[in-house]
Amino acid sequence: MLIVNVTGGLGNQLFQYAFYEFLKLNNDNVVLDLSSFQRQSYHYGFELDKVFDLKYDILSKSPTPFFYTDNSKIFYRIIHKLFDVFIKKKFDFYGDDSISLIRKEKFDFDMYFNGFWQDAYYVQEVKDFKTKILNFRLFDLSKKNKELKEYINNNFCVAVHIRRGDYLNYSYLNEICNKQYYDQAIQYFKNKYNFCSFVFFSDDILWCKEKFKEIKNSIFVDWNTKDQSYLDLYMMSLCQNNIIANSTFSWWGAYLNNNNEKIVICPKFWNQRTLTNHLICPGWIAL
């Protein structure tokens, strides 16, 4: 049995689900372990079912302690904090987000996969992942979202996602997509097109309103909050183009954009700890 641990927010959950589908290409008996959401609270819980119409197999019971190491427990968290290492057992496989460690292969032994698997490779290797496997549910949209959707359908729009929130605590993350990055990305579209609207999405929309108040034809989406935040992802995917942050949430907003002529501007690096970036898709413009 191959078990993929699912944890984190919606963007991370999507990469873990993509990795699950990737493993299924060459393996039978692949399941998702959702038990981490019973032990810890991550953002708004397990959201894949709420946002997408998916099919998957779930681990019927929590994995035995002899099978994997629960690094969410306080002892393991202290060890990780002090020594920057994860304790793992024989059947644990920890994914390193800076490099893809798994390629297409068949496993003849049990394995528990811990990691976020943030790599475009896993997504792109699954045929028809975006068009047939990963489908948005039909949402009962609020009046504001209906109006925004109609506006996006009738105008040339650029979704701008700005991640602040918890990133403000980590300089190696928050300094990647700074004000200069967004100014350059926005100017790119202004130079290329005579007219376009900029639709801003953020977990700190008040900051965006202040810093980008001079941008004409702009909309600041401030109503999809808390457990309705996933609707920002849906709306970002509807825009004709995307400017993304070093955030898996906005990465998926751009990836799920079905405009064949879309322009996606992304950061050249995902964080300041590594020079590699496995999340730049073909055709995307890295700044």
Side-chain angles (χ1 to χ4, degrees), residues 156-159 189 239-243 257 259 261-263:
F156 190 75
C157 293
V158 181
F189 284 102
C239 292
Q240 288 80 8
N241 308 279
N242 301 79
I243 298 172
N257 181 340
N259 177 15
E261 298 180 354
K262 68 183 177 185
I263 294 175

Side-chain angles (χ1 to χ4, degrees), residues 103-275:
R103 287 295 181 256
K104 288 183 180 179
E105 58 184 295
K106 184 173 179 60
F107 290 88
D108 296 322
F109 45 87
D110 293 334
M111 186 65 69
Y112 189 92
F113 292 94
N114 262 313
F116 292 115
W117 316 107
Q118 296 173 2
D119 195 317
Y121 170 80
Y122 300 126
V123 181
Q124 294 165 347
E125 285 297 305
V126 181
K127 184 180 179 181
D128 299 327
F129 182 72
K130 180 169 64 173
T131 57
K132 293 184 179 180
I133 298 177
L134 198 62
N135 297 306
F136 280 108
R137 289 191 178 277
L138 295 176
F139 303 124
D140 184 16
L141 297 176
S142 66
K143 181 181 178 181
K144 286 187 175 181
N145 281 320
K146 287 179 180 178
E147 291 173 349
L148 177 60
K149 184 175 181 179
E150 183 177 0
Y151 181 86
I152 291 172
N153 290 337
N154 293 308
N155 293 274
F156 190 75
C157 293
V158 181
V160 184
H161 182 254
I162 298 176
R163 173 74 175 269
R164 283 171 58 80
D166 57 336
Y167 273 30
L168 298 180
N169 299 320
Y170 306 98
S171 60
Y172 71 95
L173 290 174
N174 69 48
E175 293 178 2
I176 293 291
C177 295
N178 53 25
K179 179 67 163 49
Q180 182 181 5
Y181 164 78
Y182 286 106
D183 287 342
Q184 290 178 341
I186 290 170
Q187 192 61 46
Y188 174 90
F189 284 102
K190 285 184 175 182
N191 293 341
K192 189 174 181 64
Y193 300 104
N194 293 327
F195 176 87
C196 57
S197 293
F198 296 93
V199 186
F200 287 83
F201 303 86
S202 178
D203 55 359
D204 191 351
I205 204 69
L206 291 177
W207 183 89
C208 298
K209 288 180 178 180
E210 174 61 28
K211 297 298 182 181
F212 299 96
K213 58 186 176 183
E214 79 285 355
I215 304 295
K216 296 180 179 179
N217 306 311
S218 59
I219 297 174
F220 296 90
V221 181
D222 59 3
W223 54 85
N224 295 324
T225 59
K226 298 183 179 180
D227 62 352
Q228 297 294 302
S229 298
Y230 68 91
L231 290 168
D232 275 1
L233 177 70
Y234 175 60
M235 291 298 170
M236 284 192 286
S237 75
L238 299 179
C239 292
Q240 288 80 8
N241 308 279
N242 301 79
I243 298 172
I244 73 170
N246 54 331
S247 159
T248 57
F249 188 78
S250 55
W251 189 95
W252 283 101
Y255 175 79
L256 293 170
N257 181 340
N258 288 319
N259 177 15
N260 293 327
E261 298 180 354
K262 68 183 177 185
I263 294 175
V264 177
I265 295 183
C266 65
K268 185 180 298 184
F269 305 111
W270 208 247
N271 62 64
Q272 292 182 334
R273 290 181 173 178
T274 175
L275 297 179

Side-chain angles (χ1 to χ4, degrees), residues 32-63:
L32 297 178
D33 178 14
L34 308 182
S35 63
S36 68
F37 295 98
Q38 299 171 1
R39 301 189 299 270
Q40 281 187 293
S41 175
Y42 300 102
H43 299 277
Y44 305 109
F46 182 68
E47 294 190 282
L48 290 182
D49 272 351
K50 180 171 66 175
V51 184
F52 299 96
D53 184 14
L54 302 175
K55 295 180 180 179
Y56 51 82
D57 294 315
I58 302 175
L59 185 66
S60 58
K61 59 182 179 180
S62 296

Side-chain angles (χ1 to χ4, degrees), residues 3-4 6 16-17 20 30-34 56-59:
I3 305 172
V4 179
V6 183
Q16 289 156 352
Y17 177 74
Y20 159 83
V30 185
V31 299
L32 297 178
D33 178 14
L34 308 182
Y56 51 82
D57 294 315
I58 302 175
L59 185 66

Side-chain angles (χ1 to χ4, degrees), residues 79-86 273:
I79 293 297
H80 175 57
K81 185 74 173 179
L82 292 176
F83 303 105
D84 196 27
V85 297
F86 279 115
R273 290 181 173 178

